[in-house]
Amino acid sequence: MSKGVWFVAEQREGVLRKISYELASTARKLADALGGEEVCAVLLGGMGVESLASQLGKYGTDKVFVAENALLEPYTTDAHATAAAKVVKEHDPAILLLGASVQGKDLSGRLVGKLATGMATDCTEVKIADGRLLAVRPMYAGKCYGEVAIASNPQMASLRPNVFPAIENAKACQVVKIDAGLDPGKVRTKVLEVQKDAAGKVDLTEANIIVSGGRGMKGPENYVVIEELAGVLGATVGASRAAVDAGWRPQSDQVGQTGKVVSPNLYIACGISGAIQHLAGMSSSKYIVAINKDPEAPIFQKADYGIVDDLFKVVPELTKEVKKLLA
Ligand SMILES: Cc1cc2nc3c(=O)[nH]c(=O)nc-3n(C[C@H](O)[C@H](O)[C@H](O)COP(=O)(O)OP(=O)(O)OC[C@H]3O[C@@H](n4cnc5c(N)ncnc54)[C@H](O)[C@@H]3O)c2cc1C
């Protein structure tokens, strides 16, 4: 019988991503709701990745299945899906969680195929009902929320980053070394180059504060205004698709349905109208501040705080005030 709540931990260059702790804590909550089932993590990477396992134990993980293999670093869909599918098939968990992060989204498509099961993606809530997983996820670009139950096992779900709390709950975590089952001749993908974002830039999907600019910025040179505000707030800069399509910002900055889905504590939208496709990427932010000169802009329907004025007047003023507060 399928048993246990599993998750695939995420690490990059030997550092666990925040989503891994969110997955561990959520898996713990589900396992407790199932009457105290075991929480197990799959941790994949190059030599030395085993040293990260104890950190997962601090967030409620009972057992970490670790595969160390040079073919698992850097990440490729091919190698990670093969290794994860192998260990999951061998142990037959009831539930398998992943992050709805860039890497998690990439991996889950291949993994769900290999496991021939069902999956709820980009969930904002998960719970147990009648002994089975019940996942809640936005549908129609966030217009409504649907409840999804999965009839097969493992019941797979990916969790939207920054939505689920990471709660410390130390367990005597057991580490189990596993064979990744990789044949170098069969891993067809090879990473030739990794292009990194500017040093120190927090990824949008993990950012606590985001300052985003849209078409209202009027040109790439004006982003300096929101970069300054982002600088004093310790925020990451985002953009609407209009700004990206105009070539003002790189695609990696795009927030929305065809960009990144973000859930920061604070999202400041500057000169963004609030099209449904933009809202789909940021409406689960805890607090939304909109700065727009058009009082009818749809973004104000989602915003917790709205400022109707010229952003080129408001944003520098905000930067000045925040600087004063922090001094
Ligand atoms: C399939 C599909 C997928 C899409 N995916 C995405 C996506 O992932 N992300 C995304 O963002 N969009 C996406 N879009 C595009 C989306 O529909 C909108 O076109 C886009 O979000 C608009 O960007 P914007 O708000 O920056 O521009 P606009 O809608 O042109 O809004 C600009 C706003 O700036 C305000 N403004 C102008 N000057 C100032 C000023 N000086 N001070 C203050 N306010 C000012 C205006 O009042 C206006 O509200 C998608 C569209 C489609 C069809």
Side-chain angles (χ1 to χ4, degrees):
M1 201 183 105
S2 308
K3 227 174 162 38
V5 182
W6 282 44
F7 68 94
V8 180
E10 230 177 82
Q11 60 87 22
R12 199 176 293 166
E13 294 177 341
V15 179
L16 281 170
R17 312 284 291 178
K18 189 166 160 240
I19 184 70
S20 299
Y21 304 119
E22 296 167 11
L23 287 164
S25 303
T26 309
R28 180 76 266 158
K29 201 174 130 205
L30 294 175
D32 289 346
L34 284 167
E37 289 199 8
E38 205 171 46
V39 170
C40 299
V42 179
L43 177 59
L44 308 172
M47 296 307 157
V49 78
E50 182 187 346
S51 64
L52 304 179
S54 61
Q55 294 175 42
L56 295 171
K58 288 188 194 148
Y59 289 82
T61 309
D62 298 302
K63 209 179 264 178
V64 183
F65 290 88
V66 185
E68 287 185 341
N69 188 310
L71 291 169
L72 292 167
E73 192 72 52
Y75 168 87
T76 64
T77 327
D78 228 7
H80 277 242
T82 303
K86 179 174 178 280
V87 64
V88 169
K89 276 183 187 164
E90 283 165 4
H91 294 270
D92 188 23
I95 295 173
L96 177 61
L97 306 175
L98 289 101
S101 52
V102 175
Q103 186 173 308
K105 281 180 186 169
D106 180 75
L107 178 63
S108 52
R110 188 76 64 94
L111 195 52
V112 76
K114 281 184 182 286
L115 297 172
T117 186
M119 176 165 183
T121 58
D122 197 22
C123 301
T124 51
E125 195 186 337
V126 284
K127 53 194 168 195
I128 298 296
D130 297 329
R132 303 280 299 170
L133 179 73
L134 194 62
V136 179
R137 62 182 300 274
M139 299 172 102
Y140 303 111
K143 276 265 181 211
C144 64
Y145 284 80
E147 284 187 340
V148 183
I150 296 149
S152 49
N153 285 332
Q155 302 155 82
M156 280 179 68
S158 63
L159 310 187
R160 182 176 283 197
N162 272 353
V163 170
F164 296 83
I167 301 163
E168 288 206 28
N169 180 1
K171 294 278 165 192
C173 180
Q174 187 192 344
V175 178
V176 183
K177 288 277 270 234
I178 54 165
D179 173 16
L182 296 173
D183 174 349
K186 286 195 180 151
V187 176
R188 290 174 299 248
T189 322
K190 211 179 201 168
V191 177
L192 298 180
E193 189 192 354
V194 177
Q195 289 191 354
K196 291 190 182 174
D197 270 336
K201 183 180 167 187
V202 179
D203 189 85
L204 272 176
T205 56
E206 292 194 349
N208 202 25
I209 306 177
I210 294 173
V211 186
S212 255
R215 201 181 335 245
M217 297 306 300
K218 305 212 185 329
E221 65 286 0
N222 296 328
Y223 272 81
V224 66
V225 177
I226 61 174
E227 273 160 3
E228 275 170 8
L229 177 59
V232 295
L233 287 171
T236 300
V237 173
S240 72
R241 178 158 161 180
V244 171
D245 284 352
W248 301 346
R249 300 299 295 181
Q251 208 280 330
S252 57
D253 280 6
Q254 188 183 315
V255 172
Q257 191 185 329
T258 44
K260 288 184 177 153
V261 176
V262 299
S263 291
N265 272 320
L266 176 61
Y267 188 90
I268 305 178
C270 310
I272 293 178
S273 60
I276 178 85
Q277 297 90 352
H278 189 80
L279 299 179
M282 44 63 79
S283 57
S284 57
S285 306
K286 228 160 248 154
Y287 293 100
I288 297 171
V289 176
I291 304 165
N292 196 306
K293 63 182 185 185
D294 174 8
E296 302 299 325
I299 190 83
F300 288 124
Q301 287 166 24
K302 277 277 171 203
D304 299 284
Y305 300 94
I307 303 172
V308 181
D309 210 334
D310 185 341
L311 75 91
F312 294 106
K313 201 172 95 197
V314 176
V315 178
E317 204 54 48
L318 264 179
T319 308
K320 214 165 79 189
E321 289 304 315
V322 176
K323 264 189 195 158
K324 262 197 234 160
L325 273 174
L326 294 177

